[in-house]
Amino acid sequence: MDLQFGAIIIGDEILSGKRADKHLSKLIELLAARGLALSHAEYLGDDRPRLTAALARAFDSANVVFSFGGIGATPDDHTRQCAAQALGVPLALHPEAVALIEERMRDVAAEKGEVFEPGRPDNVHRLQMGNFPQGATIIANPYNKIPGFSCAGRAGGAVHFVPGFPVMAWPMIESVLDQHYAPLFHGPARQERSVLVFGVGEATLTPLMQQLEAAHGGIRVFSLPSVDHAVHGAHVELGIKGLTTAVDAAWSALIKGLHCIGANYSTEVVRNG
């Protein structure tokens, strides 16, 4: 089974509409540029039980999951604590993370012309941003040095935790992909082929779809109906996706099946990658 990539996007502000999520489309883009694809995604608010349960599922899978948001040190940031609970390990200050956070605080103090006071209560509190689940490794943050972290799962996967700020999160994601998953880039060629089918509903197409998946391993058949398309009107986009060799073998069977039911369909569209 191919390694699957997933996303968890965290924050009440996303669910309430105060902020629009930008991470999902960007992660899809970053993966696609490397010949990879997003398998699943989940949006969660700042709810500890729900977040802990979602992270436990991620750690129990063999998937690679990117978690966005909630790794700060304010009362509404729960991701670090939930990750530790989901793994059944304590939180612990990561020495390298602490050094980076202190370096950032020194830089800020110097920029303001102030003397860095490590024992000042607000500076001591900022070190909590380096309090990670025991055994975590850090993800470098090129924007302001405050690191994210990665935790290995229980089934061979991993969850990588980055901030909610795109300017920080996106280069951190690229770094994780390039450092840890480069051998997976641009693997066996994949393809998606589809046609627009007119005058036939999904219920009529379903037996053909089932037959194709039963007869041809390594493919997925999909249908995407539209009732009011501005150009094509009512239609169903019917297609096959998977490894190019498997798609090639199944495509002629799909076209033959459409002929058998007398369907009217468009010229095929091919998408590689």
Side-chain angles (χ1 to χ4, degrees), residues 97-105 126-127 129-130 145-147:
V98 168
L100 287 166
I101 295 167
E102 287 184 339
E103 184 178 341
R104 170 62 178 171
M105 291 190 292
R126 289 188 179 97
L127 293 180
M129 290 187 290
K145 300 180 182 178
I146 309 298

Side-chain angles (χ1 to χ4, degrees), residues 16 39 70 104 126 175 220 238 265 267:
S16 69
S39 171
R104 170 62 178 171
R126 289 188 179 97
S175 174
R220 291 175 62 185
L238 179 67
Y265 57 90
T267 303

Side-chain angles (χ1 to χ4, degrees), residues 240-262:
I240 298 174
K241 56 186 173 183
L243 296 179
T244 300
T245 52
V247 171
D248 284 342
W251 186 249
S252 60
L254 182 146
I255 296 301
K256 182 179 179 180
L258 290 176
H259 279 293
C260 288
I261 61 176

Side-chain angles (χ1 to χ4, degrees), residues 130-193:
N131 212 14
F132 300 150
Q134 193 172 67
T137 57
I138 70 165
I139 303 173
N141 181 343
Y143 182 80
N144 67 358
K145 300 180 182 178
I146 309 298
F149 62 98
S150 299
C151 295
R154 291 179 278 260
V159 183
H160 303 285
F161 297 86
V162 297
F165 299 103
V167 70
M168 303 177 195
W170 297 350
M172 294 168 77
I173 294 294
E174 290 197 86
S175 174
V176 168
L177 288 170
D178 294 342
Q179 288 182 28
H180 299 289
Y181 303 107
L184 303 176
F185 293 177
H186 305 293
R190 303 183 71 86
Q191 189 178 77
E192 176 183 304
R193 298 170 74 171

Side-chain angles (χ1 to χ4, degrees), residues 201-226:
E202 283 187 295
T204 303
L205 296 171
T206 297
L208 172 60
M209 297 172 69
Q210 293 171 332
Q211 291 165 16
L212 289 168
E213 289 201 343
H216 300 273
I219 63 148
R220 291 175 62 185
V221 184
F222 65 90
S223 64
L224 184 62
S226 180

